[in-house]
Amino acid sequence: MGILTTLLVVPVIGAITVAVLGKLFDDQTPARLAGLWFAAAEFVLSLYLWWAFSPAAAGMQFVESYHWIEPYGIKYLVGIDGLSLLLVILTTFLVPLILLSAWSAVDRRPAGYFASMLLLEAGMLGAFFAQDIFLFYVFWEVMLVPMYLLIGIWGGERRLYAAVKFFLYTMAGSVLMLLAILATVYLYYQSAGKVTFELAALAGQQLPLSTQRWLFAAYALAFAIKVPIFPLHTWLPDAHVEAPTGGSVILAGILLKLGTYGFLRYAMPLYPAAALEAAPYFMALAVAGIIYGALVALVQPDIKKLVAYSSVSHLGFVVLGIFAFTEAATSGAIYQMLNHGISTGMLFFLVGVVYERRHTRLIRDYGGLAKVIPVYSFLLIVATMASVGLPGTNGFVGEFSILYGTFISRMAGAKAATALAATGVILGAVYMLWMVQRVLYGPVTSVENQKLKDVNGRELAYLVPLAILIVLMGVYPKPFMNTFKNASREHLARFSKVSVLATLPASDLDGREIITARFAADDDAAGRTQVALQQETGGRP
């Protein structure tokens, strides 16, 4: 059994063990300890991937392939590359922190909570590992069940509404994705005479642009809901607000990234011509989401809802970087996926800390906390600075790379998109700093706030590692970005003029003309950008 399969099996065994211990003992401490131990062991095992991974090597690594449903060409085919490695480690890193945070916060059926989180971890890892699109779909659906339970059982007052809404939105996109999977496999069978669900084989077939459009649209809708991209975001605030703290952390930290990862891994490589044609529209939606999410966050009275809408804005930057089709923007988007999981995850943890003490998330119920709980206040400021992209924090590296990469993009309208997206950075600073001012500073007007206790040792154990990563990834991003540099270049190589035209049949004259015209328009835009840069710099390179 290879390392990837081991990483899938360990949390499943852990979930079963936790569930059994929860039934055997009235005292739930053994179940909690077992869950935490399995999650920590999973993280330690995942570090082997970082140690043994070769960033310079092309293609998938740690590949395992076994026939599964052989008559239909379905395989258990798993592997990782630079696009997925750090997301895998982020997943295994966050889960033990989440379970540690839930030690006292979840007092109702904690064994079920811990078991659900471990099963969710297995589903997420499987989605990152899968190199067979049927296998990916299976893990994609598996993730729904434990997340539905986490929101529906351990959530807030409107938890059932939020859980059902989350489930229905995701299922609607999943059905369309399944139809696109079956159609893609059928078209491959017609041309190659055999059935396969292997991603590498399906990504190399020729499809007319008209066909690619429909199939890309089906995939894109499923992933756009998961991100979520404006205007498909309406399920997210409800899910975040009603979910328990750990559910919000894993939702923001990992589950949303499966949408952007899906674009990079599946939708765009499978249908590159359609992806290239649709890029300006996705850039426009990304900019709309950046600004809309920031403006709505600005007026939220609930801290958790404010952070939830900030995710809509931050993930808009990731989508913008993905569809700019430059190395700087793509690398920045991948890095920002990691950054958002760390900084926003830390913000949700911090919201949970004060909610556990005060049982309110309304901003007006706080004030002057810096005088009462200074360590907590310092950690909140660290997470806030990362969220607003202060230089020296991880958020700055990701957002700067995305904006720079979009500015130099060959896509028409890229400079305008960059300028509009930059307003989201300003608005982000406004709503985050205004929240910090109202929560941490001013007079301590409430007696309950005067009695608040600062963070304890257990809380520091899951907050401090995130704070360290925020600074480390902001000051020294090189080892992280080197991990996915070659994978990013390999991804972009699929979108050169020659590569994209090669995915279109010679008989698809209309499609070839449209794509050729798109590259001509991009060349014109790039030329205008270059002239403008030379004028601004006085002709200096």
Side-chain angles (χ1 to χ4, degrees), residues 112-129:
Y113 179 93
F114 278 51
S116 296
M117 191 63 69
L118 288 169
L119 288 176
L120 179 59
E121 179 179 24
M124 294 184 297
L125 291 176
F128 288 130
F129 293 161

Side-chain angles (χ1 to χ4, degrees), residues 260 313-323 329 333-334 336-337 402:
T260 50
S313 185
H314 287 304
L315 268 297
F317 280 101
V318 176
V319 174
L320 181 66
I322 288 172
F323 284 95
I334 298 170
Q336 193 65 3
M337 289 161 67
I402 291 170

